[in-house]
Amino acid sequence: MSEVNVQLKNGAQASLPAPVTVADALKRLDRDAAKQALIARVNGREVDLDFKLEAAESGDAVQIEAVLPGTNDALYVLRHSTAHLLAAAVLDLFPGTKLGIGPPLLDDPRYGFFYDVIAPQPLTEADLPVIEKRMRDLAKRNVNYRRDEIAKAEALHIFAERDEPLKVELIEEKGGETVSVYYIDNTPFIDFCVGPHVANSNRLKAFKLLAISGAYWKGDQERPQMQRLYGTAFFTQEELDAWVKQREEAERRDHRRLGRELDLFSIQEQYGQGLIFWHPKGGAVRKEMEDYLRDELIKRGYGLVFTPHIAKRKLWYISGHEENYADSMFAPTELEETEFRLKPMNCPFHIGIYKSAQRSYRDLPLRYAELGTVYRAELSGTLHGLMRVRGFTQDDAHLFCTPETVLREIVDCVDFAYSVFKTFGFERFKVELSVKGNDTTKGYLGSDEDWSHAETALVGALDERGIPYERIEGEAAFYGPKIDIKVEDAIGRLWQLTTVQFDFNLPERFELEYIGEDGQAHRPVMVHRALFGSVERFFGVLIEHYAGAFPMWLAPVQIAVLPITDRINDYAESVARNLRAASLRVETNVRSEKIGAKIRTAQLQKIPFMLVLGDREMEEGTVAVRERSRGDIGVMTTEDFKALAQRLVESRALVNIAESGV
RNA sequence: GCCGGCGUAGCUCAGCUGGUAGAGCAUCUGAUUUGUAAUCAGAGGGUCGGGGGUUCGAGUCCCUUCGCCGGCUCCA
C-alpha cells in the first residue's frame, strides 16, 4: 500500500496510508489543531478538511498547517460558509430564488458577508429573522459542506437545469476545464465556488443577519437589480456581541442625530436635498475651524483668494468639465444669451488668477487657497447627512510651481495635513498613493515622463517623512497621480480627507506659462490639494470623532453659567459678561429649575464647563467649576477660571484640564 | 438614478382586522427658590409628508409625487 508523508510546521511527522484526508492526518499529528481547524493549508494551498492527500511522487513530506480560529483566513472561511448557509436557507424558504454571488467581507466594518439573490417575491426586512432562524436550524442539524470537482459542461448543465442563469453566466466566464462546486447536505443548495469551506455547519455558531438592500448584478447599472442580504459572523457569541456593541456606538455618534440634538445644523426638505444650514452652534465650530486653517495657511505662505460661485459655460468647455464632469454639474442657466454654470470645483478660478498676469519663475511657487463653495449634482440616493451633499465648501488650494520645487511643495502639503489632523486629535493615518494603471480606456493624459516625475515627487515626499503608504495602480485620475490621506477616528473608522493631486490636464488646457531663467515660456506644474476635503464633511467627521463632545476650543458653548436661585441671576450675568469679554462662548441658565436639572441640561449639551453659582460664590466673587467629564473640580476666583479657560482655548487642548495639566 | 424600507405634535414613538388622533420629552403659563445629571401643576401644539382614488366613512386600503433611511451605482 502506498503512503504519504505528512509534516506539521512544528516538525511533527507521520507516514500514513494514502489516500488520507487532511482531517485524519491532522488528527494523527495534533489532536487539538484537528479539532479547531476550519480548513488547512497543504503545501501553502488552502483546502477543505476532507481534502484527500495522495501518495506523493517524490519522497518529500507534505506540509500541512491547520487554519485556526483567531486568524483572518479562518474568519474569512467562516463568513464565506455562513454566506452559503444563508443562501441555503433562502432557497429552502423561497424555492425558485436565483442566486448571484455571496462573498465574505473582512475589510468592511459594517458587514461580514452578503449573498445577492432574486427571490420570487421581493424580500423585506421582516424576512430576515425568518431566514436567520432557518439558518440556525440548518446549522444545528450538523450538515456537511461537500466539495465536488466536475467538468465545466456538467456544471453548466446542473445549473441550467436548476434555472440559475446567473451562476451559468459565472461558470461560463470563470470556470476552467473542471470547476468546483459546493453542496450543503440535506439542503437544495449547490454553489459554484472555489472554497474552501468548513466541513460541517456545526462550526457556524455566532452569526446575525443585518440588512437587506438593492445591488446590481455585477455592479452594473444596466443589469438586473438584485436583493443583497447582509450578515456577519464570528467564532464566538462574545465577539459578535462586542461587534454589535461597536455598531451601536457608531449609531450613538451619528452626526445627523447629534447635529439635531446639539442644534448644530439642519437640512430642510423644502429648501432642497443635500444643502446644509449651519445653525449658530455649528457656525461657532466652523468659525474656529476656519480661523485656525486660515492662520495656518498664512503661516505657510499661501495667498487667500475668493472667487465666484458661477462662471460662463464656455469656461467649463475650456477646463474640460463639460466633457468629463457635466453629469455632476447643475444645468446651465442663461442670462442675456450667455450660458452660465455653477462651479463644481475651484480650480479654473484659481487658474484665472494665475493667468491675470505674466508669471516669472521668481514668482513660483504660487499657492492659492480658498474656502470655496461648490455645487455638485449628486444623485439623490447618494446623499448622506454632512458626508455627501450637493453644496459644500472645499478647503481647496492650488500650487503652481516649477518641476524643481514640486517635491518641496508636496512635502509641505503632507506636513500641513499631519499637523492639522493632530490638532484635531487624530493620531492614526492611512496613506494611499494612486498611480496610473494599464487600463487604456481611462484616457490618461500627460507623458510617461510626466507621470514618473510626479510619482517620484509624491514618493519622495512620503519617504522623506518616513510615512508608510499603499501604492494602488489604476486608482489615479486620468489627469495625474495623487496621495490620499485617511484618518482613523476615535472608534477606528477611516475617513478619506486629504488629497494631493497632480494635474497634467488643466495647465495644458488653459495654456499656463511662466517665464523661466532662460527667458523662455514654460508650463508650470499644477497640484490640487485639499486637507479637510469638504468643511461640511470634516465637520461631520469631527462630530462623530468627538461624539459631539467638542474640545474646549471648538465647543459651540464653552461655559454654562448656572445660578442656584434667582437671587444669584445678576451675579451670574456679570460672570457671563466678564467671560464673554474674553471671547469665551457662554450661556446662562436663569430658569427656575433646581441646580440638578440645569446641570443635566448642560451635560446633555456636552458643554465643557459649568459654573455653579450660589450665595457663597456671589459673596466671594468665585465660581464653583464643574467639568463635563469629571464633575465638580472645586471653587476658584472668576479671574482664575477665565485664565484657565483661555489657556485651554489658546492651546487648543483636546482633553480636560486635569489631563492637559493646565 | 436604481432596489427595499419608512414618513403621525419641535424630538422619540403608540395608534389591532378602516369608525373622524395619543404618550413621554421639549415649548408656554403658574407655583416653587432649590448646592452638582430630571420640582409640581396646567395649557397650547397635528390639513397623520403632498396630490388623487376606493368607501357611508381613510392615519389605516390603492395609485401617484416629494422626502428620509439602508445599500447599489457614481465620486473626471
Side-chain angles (χ1 to χ4, degrees):
Chain A
M1 192 200 274
S2 55
E3 301 224 319
V4 57
N5 234 332
V6 293
Q7 181 175 35
L8 286 189
K9 252 201 176 152
N10 66 14
Q13 264 204 45
S15 196
L16 303 167
V20 59
T21 65
V22 173
D24 287 339
L26 275 173
K27 253 182 232 163
R28 276 289 297 275
L29 293 165
D30 184 342
R31 287 208 148 274
D32 198 43
K35 224 171 167 183
Q36 295 287 319
L38 261 82
I39 56 160
R41 267 187 287 269
V42 170
N43 291 334
R45 188 164 70 93
E46 290 190 343
V47 297
D48 297 309
L49 291 176
D50 64 3
F51 179 79
K52 285 195 175 58
L53 299 168
E54 306 290 345
E57 281 170 25
S58 76
D60 294 347
V62 176
Q63 301 292 322
I64 307 184
E65 185 190 354
V67 175
L68 302 171
T71 62
N72 270 348
D73 290 342
L75 186 60
Y76 190 86
V77 170
L78 182 82
R79 290 179 171 178
H80 194 180
S81 297
T82 311
H84 276 210
L85 188 67
L86 165 60
V90 171
L91 274 184
D92 207 16
L93 285 164
F94 308 98
T97 298
K98 310 270 175 281
L99 299 177
I101 56 167
L105 305 167
L106 279 187
D107 296 332
D108 190 326
R110 297 166 304 177
Y111 305 113
F113 61 83
F114 66 77
Y115 218 108
D116 284 349
V117 303
I118 302 176
Q121 312 96 358
L123 302 174
T124 73
E125 215 131 313
D127 295 316
L128 292 182
V130 180
I131 298 169
E132 193 177 307
K133 171 86 176 31
R134 182 61 56 98
M135 289 169 70
R136 275 183 215 299
D137 292 345
L138 289 175
K140 275 188 212 141
R141 273 193 244 154
N142 298 342
V143 286
N144 288 324
Y145 279 59
R146 209 154 39 76
R147 182 193 178 96
D148 203 0
E149 299 265 354
I150 55 179
K152 182 173 185 175
E154 191 187 344
L156 286 171
H157 178 72
I158 290 175
F159 284 98
E161 199 157 60
R162 297 169 66 94
D163 196 17
E164 289 281 14
L166 303 175
K167 289 293 179 194
V168 168
E169 185 179 329
L170 285 178
I171 295 167
E172 276 170 347
E173 275 174 18
K174 295 194 173 179
E177 289 282 292
T178 64
V179 303
S180 58
V181 295
Y182 275 83
Y183 298 85
I184 300 180
D185 284 347
N186 304 321
T187 75
F189 178 72
I190 310 180
D191 206 348
F192 165 59
C193 179
V194 293
H197 281 281
V198 297
N200 189 284
S201 65
N202 60 14
R203 299 307 299 267
L204 312 176
K205 293 196 157 66
F207 54 82
K208 186 177 168 64
L209 292 186
L210 299 162
I212 183 164
S213 77
Y216 297 105
W217 173 237
K218 293 185 176 167
D220 184 345
Q221 230 163 330
E222 304 301 315
R223 302 297 302 268
Q225 183 132 20
M226 316 184 62
Q227 288 191 293
R228 178 165 294 178
L229 300 162
Y230 283 101
T232 195
F234 290 91
F235 285 103
T236 63
Q237 189 62 36
E238 291 72 48
E239 288 171 289
L240 177 59
D241 292 344
W243 182 85
V244 168
K245 217 173 147 201
Q246 153 89 5
R247 208 161 179 257
E248 286 162 0
E249 174 63 19
E251 208 169 304
R252 197 176 70 75
R253 288 167 179 261
D254 190 314
H255 72 282
R256 295 166 297 185
R257 212 185 97 197
L258 288 168
R260 184 171 48 240
E261 287 174 3
L262 304 179
D263 196 18
L264 299 170
F265 71 92
S266 62
I267 300 169
Q268 299 182 40
E269 182 185 334
Q270 54 176 331
Y271 290 83
Q273 297 169 269
L275 302 173
I276 306 302
F277 290 69
W278 294 73
H279 296 198
K281 286 181 180 163
V285 180
R286 177 165 176 166
K287 192 219 172 245
E288 294 300 334
M289 288 162 63
E290 292 193 353
D291 284 357
Y292 163 69
L293 189 69
R294 287 205 175 95
D295 285 351
E296 289 295 314
L297 285 164
I298 290 165
K299 285 182 194 162
R300 291 164 195 269
Y302 285 77
L304 303 187
V305 303
F306 298 83
T307 64
H309 289 195
I310 194 167
K312 282 185 188 173
R313 188 172 188 183
K314 219 173 120 189
L315 179 82
W316 304 112
Y317 282 112
I318 298 171
S319 69
H321 285 83
E322 284 283 351
E323 191 183 324
N324 297 306
Y325 201 70
D327 286 349
S328 296
M329 293 174 72
F330 278 84
T333 179
E334 200 180 300
L335 178 68
E336 292 176 342
E337 288 163 29
T338 304
E339 285 185 304
F340 291 83
R341 245 177 142 158
L342 278 171
K343 69 173 172 187
M345 296 185 195
N346 299 301
C347 353
F349 294 81
H350 293 187
I351 285 172
I353 295 173
Y354 182 92
K355 283 184 66 115
S356 66
Q358 191 170 56
R359 306 296 174 182
S360 143
Y361 72 96
R362 297 171 192 278
D363 300 326
L364 304 186
L366 278 169
R367 309 180 191 90
Y368 296 148
E370 176 176 17
L371 288 159
T373 302
V374 298
Y375 293 90
R376 296 185 183 176
E378 303 286 0
L379 296 179
S380 58
T382 65
L383 301 173
H384 180 88
L386 294 170
M387 302 302 184
R388 191 77 181 265
V389 296
R390 285 180 175 164
F392 62 98
T393 302
Q394 287 182 310
D395 71 312
D396 207 358
H398 296 91
L399 313 172
F400 301 93
C401 43
T402 62
E404 293 73 42
T405 54
V406 67
L407 171 62
R408 184 85 265 122
E409 291 304 305
I410 305 285
V411 172
D412 287 349
C413 280
V414 171
D415 285 347
F416 196 173
Y418 275 68
S419 153
V420 164
F421 294 137
K422 287 192 171 144
T423 301
F424 286 97
F426 296 99
E427 295 295 339
R428 296 158 66 89
F429 308 92
K430 182 165 183 276
V431 178
E432 290 172 356
L433 172 70
S434 298
V435 299
K436 194 170 167 172
N438 295 322
D439 182 0
T440 48
T441 62
K442 231 179 163 179
Y444 291 109
L445 294 177
S447 65
D448 287 346
E449 292 74 51
D450 286 339
W451 282 83
S452 84
H453 190 90
E455 186 176 336
T456 304
L458 293 172
V459 169
L462 294 172
D463 286 349
E464 189 169 328
R465 287 296 179 254
I467 294 169
Y469 62 89
E470 187 187 351
R471 187 172 186 279
I472 309 179
E473 271 183 38
E475 268 300 297
F478 70 85
Y479 52 80
K482 63 174 177 175
I483 293 173
D484 288 328
I485 303 178
K486 299 178 178 185
V487 306
E488 188 181 311
D489 76 5
I491 57 170
R493 295 172 301 179
L494 284 175
W495 302 94
Q496 210 237 279
L497 300 173
T498 294
T499 183
V500 180
Q501 286 189 270
F502 270 79
D503 191 331
F504 307 133
N505 180 39
L506 292 177
E508 289 293 330
R509 284 178 170 271
F510 282 93
E511 300 176 330
L512 298 188
E513 290 182 343
Y514 68 92
I515 306 301
E517 246 172 313
D518 55 5
Q520 302 296 307
H522 299 271
R523 193 124 292 165
V525 176
M526 181 175 172
V527 176
H528 303 257
R529 163 253 83 155
L531 302 178
F532 299 163
S534 138
V535 176
E536 282 76 4
R537 189 170 117 94
F538 188 57
F539 183 40
V541 172
L542 287 182
I543 294 170
E544 303 211 354
H545 178 56
Y546 300 131
F550 291 96
M552 184 69 168
W553 73 283
L554 287 168
V557 178
Q558 295 164 318
I559 301 156
V561 178
L562 311 178
I564 289 170
T565 76
D566 55 16
R567 282 197 301 287
I568 317 295
N569 286 356
D570 287 346
Y571 175 62
E573 291 296 355
S574 78
V575 168
R577 269 197 304 280
N578 184 349
L579 297 171
R580 267 188 213 113
S583 297
L584 293 163
R585 295 185 289 274
V586 187
E587 271 183 6
T588 309
N589 185 346
V590 294
R591 301 163 57 108
S592 74
E593 282 170 333
K594 299 215 291 201
I595 193 65
K598 294 186 183 185
I599 287 169
R600 182 164 193 273
T601 307
Q603 195 75 44
L604 291 175
Q605 286 296 301
K606 303 179 193 276
I607 298 170
F609 287 99
M610 290 157 241
L611 303 180
V612 176
L613 307 181
D615 291 320
R616 292 199 295 273
E617 287 75 20
M618 181 165 67
E619 278 158 31
E620 292 163 8
T622 56
V623 293
V625 182
R626 188 186 163 95
E627 204 277 328
R628 176 174 62 195
S629 57
R630 299 170 56 232
D632 192 351
I633 58 170
V635 177
M636 62 183 83
T637 66
T638 309
E639 290 310 308
D640 281 350
F641 173 74
K642 180 162 81 177
L644 174 110
Q646 285 179 301
R647 276 203 301 281
L648 285 171
V649 170
E650 278 157 23
S651 64
R652 298 198 178 89
L654 290 164
V655 290
N656 64 43
I657 49 179
E659 290 167 56
S660 67
V662 251

